[in-house]
Amino acid sequence: MADCLFCSIVAGDIPADIVLSNDHVIAFRDIAPQAPVHVLVIPREHHANIGELATNSPQATAQLLQAAQEVAAAEGIGDAYRLVFNTGADAGQSVFHVHGHVVGGRDMNWPPG
Ligand code: 5GP
Ligand code: ZN
């Protein structure tokens, strides 16, 4: 999609520190990490948020969740991490190409802020 930052990363037009790439998903380190591990996992195909992705493509949703677990395991946090999908601007979503934040490597508080 034109003017989508994460579509530009998928296309290779904007560089990113990619930690996983397959036919369906890429994962790359967040530019402003909030924890020792902070990786964004996204489908190659553009969907605005996790709700749209789940409605449009259950298979792509499962592929995204599997990739998140793979990333967490590869980063050494497979048994303790948080997977966050901010959905909507009022919930903190700033990039409207669905992305899961894989966050860990430190104590995580609950409830989140
Ligand atoms: P959101 O706020 O939409 O849930 O998450 C967007 C995330 O994308 C933020 O954590 C932000 O730091 C990250 N981000 C924004 N621009 C870039 C970029 O150009 N490269 C990378 N790697 N991350 C980005
Ligand atoms: Zn996009």
Side-chain angles (χ1 to χ4, degrees):
M1 173 176 271
D3 295 333
C4 171
L5 175 64
F6 288 175
C7 282
S8 298
I9 288 177
V10 169
D13 295 336
I14 293 177
D17 185 358
I18 293 174
V19 299
L20 177 149
S21 176
N22 63 33
D23 288 348
H24 312 289
V25 172
I26 69 167
F28 50 93
R29 297 193 192 285
D30 197 290
I31 205 168
Q34 301 301 310
V37 176
H38 188 170
V39 174
L40 303 176
V41 184
I42 74 172
R44 289 181 175 274
E45 197 172 274
H46 183 94
H47 299 268
N49 58 51
I50 189 64
E52 277 196 16
L53 182 68
T55 300
N56 296 342
S57 182
Q59 191 180 9
T61 307
Q63 288 158 345
L64 189 69
L65 297 177
Q66 286 164 8
Q69 174 62 36
E70 272 180 47
V71 165
E75 295 289 323
I77 59 164
D79 57 353
Y81 66 93
R82 194 163 287 169
L83 177 57
V84 176
F85 292 90
N86 294 325
T87 303
D90 287 350
Q93 188 176 6
S94 60
V95 179
F96 292 85
H97 179 134
V98 57
H99 50 282
H101 297 253
V102 176
V103 181
R106 63 165 167 78
D107 288 343
M108 308 295 288
N109 298 321
W110 193 263

